[in-house]
């Protein structure tokens, strides 16, 4: 999820001024031109954007890395809002071409599907031969990712599917010419469209085809390059480290075994020893139900040889496991790569753990959950495999590109631009926090960014907002666990209080602009209802003359990287309020932190580490802790929820915001006894945290200090740190400086 590339590229190449000057001579303004670029949205949410940050850091830190992916013709859908409802429109982002990509017409590979497997005798040795039923061609499109302050540029190689040159002669000869051409064209569909659900793609044939297409082309490419310089596969682990970013590429384990055993004839155990040394795995999901499973029938018909290989890997693993743990059949069946049951499936996470030398979590809390719950059995077997590497974001994109005024201010007061490559230097801001002119300049920068955001809000929604109000933002994918509904209920409560106050009391209230943005997966009914409720509440609140500037609610449509670049620098407060134990890490909070925005958060994911850096006095923390959540859920119906929560729920149920019937099922999800994400039991402390934020905001000096300290604490959350940790601990690679 790269977003735009122009500004980032000229900044990383260090040619920003010359480029702007050259454009000027041609009669264009850089800023105006940069706005014309569309976003590359080739992923869904946190994981996809994190990958883009990782690429920027890999390039900047001179690591010799490649990224692989699919060149979807339709990226993540565009969200438009009609009468408060989300509608999805196709994102045909390649309409005017993509100026950054280089089509490599000579870098193509055949990717095979379906067919049968035969056993043949080759010089006395039994060899499996896969006779595919369909062949598709993968064509490489290279997208250069320049590092900052280095000549190093790395490559993001994206694959597009094209019909293969292999003709089905039979079909042509029998005269079914037109149908043969149509079938050939259908193969291009593989790289057509990104699946827009960021959690579940279970059992979708096209999704599996996409995964294998991506994996097969990438591995052929990697092995070809390896073979150009080496002729002994024993050297593969020395030369190649393959990182599985979640389970989506984990078919590569079976594919590389197939290549080494069937095509390179290394023999199973030799191939297995090699494969075990090259894979590492990071999981980005928390709950076991979120883990990918592929039905055996589907996999067997699409990739018959791979299914055999997966069975063999599993059978060897089960034998080895029995030797270690005995005949504990429950545990054996939990750890098996094959899940028995109504739909027999391959557990992709189990496969990735068994075959990787390292299993990573993305924050300390996440890692603990993996060790004690999700992958407990595996942790007890291989404790040494489990690590965590806290996520990070790149300060190049999230400060230098998106917040030029803050960038200039930081360099001025830190006396150097070195923080752009070494974010640890941001701690130096602490030395100036008591300096009034620094604080004044800081305030001015925030005001400027709020102005920019206010203009955008007015253009997008027609709502005029006051710059003196606190800009309170929650932008991320819409999910029940991320609890946008808690935020909306908080806003309803605030509105209700305002309505019941007399004029004098109203004068003391801190004005708020509540900003919510994010996409719901097209089939996720409850998430779509949350969006609709947000609009219904906004309609009521924003048009209430009684309330005026004291409270505004705005939904920003089509949240993407470019919108984030505008919204984040302009936020005073941002919300990261997932039910504890559900957000693996969260990277949005890190971007807000870097931009001097205060956090209102639960102790979930990376927030716990943010607190370690920032101190709990400098953010607004609330809600149940991870270790309390299970107990609260057990109490279920016996839980006491605050009266305010019940009142807000009643208002929605009674149709105070219209569409009474439509919102009933949404309300059911948070009713006592049914409230899995614990909105009711966290509501009281949420309101307290909001009240604490209001209190701090009326003391501008205190607020600005907290804002400065937030940015000063953000250095640890640079993806440069993340990548360095991966390089040193997981991949064991050194930087490799560009010699030119
Ligand atoms: C996200 C996590 O939800 C988020 O907490 C984390 O910061 C981010 O990954 C990067 O690590 N996970 C996903 O986007 C995700 O699980 N996507 C599903 C398709 C696996």
């Amino acid at each position: 999820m790269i977003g735009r590339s122009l500004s980032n590229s000229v900044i990383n190449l260090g040619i920003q001024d010359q480029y702007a000057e050259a454009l000027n001579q041609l009669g264009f303004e850089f800023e105006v031109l940069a706005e014309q670029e569309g976003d590359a949205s080739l992923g869904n949410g946190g994981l996809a954007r994190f990958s883009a940050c990782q690429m920027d850091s890999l390039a900047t830190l001179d690591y010799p890395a490649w990224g692989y992916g699919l060149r979807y013709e339709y990226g993540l859908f565009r969200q438009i809002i009609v009468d408060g409802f989300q509608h999805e429109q196709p994102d045909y982002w390649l309409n005017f071409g993509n100026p950054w990509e280089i089509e490599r017409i000579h870098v193509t590979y055949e990717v095979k599907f379906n067919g049968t497997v035969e056993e043949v005798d080759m010089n006395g040795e039994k060899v499996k031969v896969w006779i595919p039923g369909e062949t598709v061609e993968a064509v490489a499109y290279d997208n250069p990712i320049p590092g900052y302050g280095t000549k190093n540029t790395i490559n993001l190689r994206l694959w597009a599917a094209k019909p293969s040159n292999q003709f089905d002669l039979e079909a042509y000869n029998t005269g079914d010419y037109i149908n043969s051409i149509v079938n050939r064209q259908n193969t291009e569909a593989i790289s057509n469209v990104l699946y827009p659900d960021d959690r579940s793609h279970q059992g979708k044939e096209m999704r599996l085809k996409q995964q294998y297409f991506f994996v097969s082309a990438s591995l052929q490419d990697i092995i070809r390059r390896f073979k150009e310089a080496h002729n002994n596969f024993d050297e593969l682990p020395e030369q190649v480290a393959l990182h599985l970013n979640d389970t989506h590429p984990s078919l590569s384990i079976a594919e590389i075994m197939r290549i080494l055993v069937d095509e390179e004839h290394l023999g199973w155990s030799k191939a297995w020893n090699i494969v075990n040394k090259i894979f590492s795995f990071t999981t980005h999901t928390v709950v076991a139900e979120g883990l990918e499973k592929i039905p055996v029938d589907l996999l067997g018909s699409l990739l018959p040889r791979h299914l055999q290989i997966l069975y063999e890997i599993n059978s060897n693993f089960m034998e080895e496991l029995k030797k270690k743990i005995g005949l504990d059949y429950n545990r054996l069946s939990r750890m098996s790569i094959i899940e028995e049951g109504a739909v027999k499936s391959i557990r992709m996470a189990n496969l990735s753990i068994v075959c990787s030398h390292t299993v990573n979590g993305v924050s300390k809390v996440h890692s603990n959950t993996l060790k004690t719950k999700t992958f407990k059995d595996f942790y007890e077997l291989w404790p040494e495999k489990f690590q965590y590497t806290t996520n990070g974001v790149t300060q190049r994109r999230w400060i230098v590109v998106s917040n030029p005024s803050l960038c200039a201010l930081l360099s001025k007061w830190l006396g150097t631009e070195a923080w752009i490559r070494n974010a640890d230097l941001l701690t130096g801001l602490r030395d100036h926090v008591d300096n009034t002119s620094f604080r004044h300049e800081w305030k001015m920068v925030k005001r400027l960014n709020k102005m920019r955001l206010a203009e955008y809000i007015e253009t997008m929604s027609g709502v005029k907002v006051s710059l003196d109000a606190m800009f309170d933002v929650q932008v991320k994918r819409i999910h029940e666990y991320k609890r946008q509904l808690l935020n909306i209920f908080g806003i309803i409560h605030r509105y209700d209080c305002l309505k019941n106050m007399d004029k004098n009391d109203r004068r003391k209230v801190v004005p708020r602009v509540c900003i919510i943005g994010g996409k719901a997966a097209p089939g996720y009914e409850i998430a779509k209802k949350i969006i609709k409720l947000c609009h219904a509440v906004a309609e009521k609140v924003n048009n209430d003359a009684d309330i005026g500037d004291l409270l505004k609610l705005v939904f920003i449509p089509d949240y993407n990287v470019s919108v984030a670049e505008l919204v984040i620098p302009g936020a005073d407060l941002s919300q990261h309020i997932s039910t504890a134990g559900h957000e693996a890490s969260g990277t949005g909070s890190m971007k807000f932190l870097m931009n001097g925005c205060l956090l209102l958060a639960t102790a979930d994911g990376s927030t716990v580490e943010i607190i370690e850096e920032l101190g709990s006095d400098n953010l607004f923390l609330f809600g149940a802790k991870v270790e309390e959540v299970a107990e609260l859920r057990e109490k279920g119906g016996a839980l006491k929820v605050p009266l305010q929560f019940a009142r807000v729920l009643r208002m929605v149920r009674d149709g105070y915001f219209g569409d009474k019937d439509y919102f009933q099922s949404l309300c059911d999800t948070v009713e006592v006894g049914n409230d899995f994400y614990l909105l009711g039991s966290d509501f009281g402390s949420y309101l307290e945290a909001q009240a604490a934020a209001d209190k701090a905001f009326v003391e501008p000096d205190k607020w600005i200090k907290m804002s400065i300290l937030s940015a000063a604490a953000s250095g640890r959350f640079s993806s440069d740190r993340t990548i360095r940790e991966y390089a040193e601990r997981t991949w064991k690679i050194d930087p490799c400086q560009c010699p030119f």
Side-chain angles (χ1 to χ4, degrees), residues 382-411:
W382 294 311
E384 69 287 351
K385 271 197 191 188
F386 284 73
Q387 294 185 347
Y388 74 90
T389 309
T390 302
N391 284 170
V393 299
T394 163
Q395 66 270 30
R396 268 83 58 188
R397 164 87 44 178
W398 296 109
I399 301 180
V400 186
V401 172
S402 63
N403 196 345
S405 340
L406 181 64
C407 174
L409 184 72
L410 294 176
S411 299

Side-chain angles (χ1 to χ4, degrees), residues 95-341:
N95 220 355
F96 300 106
N98 170 12
W100 302 105
E101 70 186 11
I102 303 156
E103 184 185 13
R104 302 286 188 199
I105 43 174
H106 298 300
V107 183
T108 64
Y109 300 97
E110 286 191 344
V111 179
K112 299 162 186 153
F113 295 101
N114 305 112
T116 52
V117 180
E118 285 175 14
E119 198 170 61
V120 297
D121 200 285
M122 204 179 270
N123 308 327
E125 190 198 339
K126 294 239 178 304
V127 179
K128 294 274 199 305
V129 178
W130 177 21
I131 300 152
E134 186 188 357
T135 304
V136 179
E137 205 155 274
V139 182
Y141 285 77
D142 287 348
N143 297 261
I145 312 283
Y148 178 92
T150 166
K151 294 249 167 80
N152 191 40
T153 291
I154 60 171
N155 193 12
L156 174 60
R157 180 159 278 184
L158 302 180
W159 302 107
K162 295 273 153 72
S164 145
N165 278 332
Q166 300 244 327
F167 296 101
D168 180 355
L169 278 180
E170 193 67 23
Y172 284 91
N173 292 339
T174 52
D176 198 5
Y177 171 74
I178 295 290
N179 264 335
S180 302
I181 300 274
V182 170
N183 285 342
R184 271 163 56 81
Q185 290 312 120
N186 284 345
T187 57
E188 283 187 64
I190 293 179
S191 55
N192 254 2
V193 54
L194 166 79
Y195 276 83
D197 191 330
D198 64 340
R199 303 285 135 170
S200 112
H201 319 280
Q202 316 284 13
K204 307 249 171 45
E205 186 184 0
M206 183 52 92
R207 171 76 186 180
L208 181 60
K209 272 189 147 175
Q210 289 185 336
Q211 289 189 352
Y212 180 66
F213 174 77
F214 152 57
V215 150
S216 168
S218 308
L219 277 179
Q220 290 184 63
D221 197 41
I222 290 162
I223 298 227
R224 176 192 52 80
R225 288 205 314 275
F226 171 77
K227 279 173 131 184
E228 273 172 12
H230 306 270
N231 52 20
N232 182 353
F233 273 101
D234 288 337
E235 291 169 36
L236 194 66
E238 284 300 306
Q239 300 299 323
V240 176
L242 298 177
H243 193 78
L244 304 171
N245 230 350
D246 220 275
T247 54
H248 316 146
S250 51
L251 277 174
S252 52
I253 295 164
E255 174 67 351
I256 199 162
M257 281 302 287
R258 190 190 64 78
I259 295 173
L260 296 183
V261 173
D262 296 356
E263 293 181 2
E264 302 293 339
H265 306 290
L266 291 193
W268 184 275
S269 16
K270 190 164 182 191
W272 181 245
N273 277 339
I274 292 171
V275 166
N276 261 281
K277 291 188 195 127
I278 52 183
F279 283 104
S280 47
F281 167 54
T282 295
T283 173
H284 299 259
T285 318
V286 170
V287 283
E289 308 83 72
L291 303 173
E292 261 192 315
K293 288 178 199 163
I294 301 182
V296 161
D297 288 349
L298 180 61
L299 200 132
S301 96
L302 202 67
L303 302 168
R305 177 62 184 132
H306 296 77
L307 184 61
Q308 292 177 343
I309 291 172
L310 291 171
Y311 269 117
E312 191 155 348
I313 293 177
N314 193 47
S315 145
N316 294 344
F317 169 55
M318 287 287 113
E319 284 313 309
E320 186 193 321
L321 193 58
K322 273 184 212 155
K323 281 187 208 141
K324 291 202 172 124
I325 66 164
L327 299 179
D328 177 348
Y329 286 111
N330 280 337
R331 187 165 171 205
L332 286 166
S333 103
R334 287 197 304 267
M335 294 178 78
S336 170
I337 294 169
I338 317 287
E339 183 178 79
E340 302 293 338

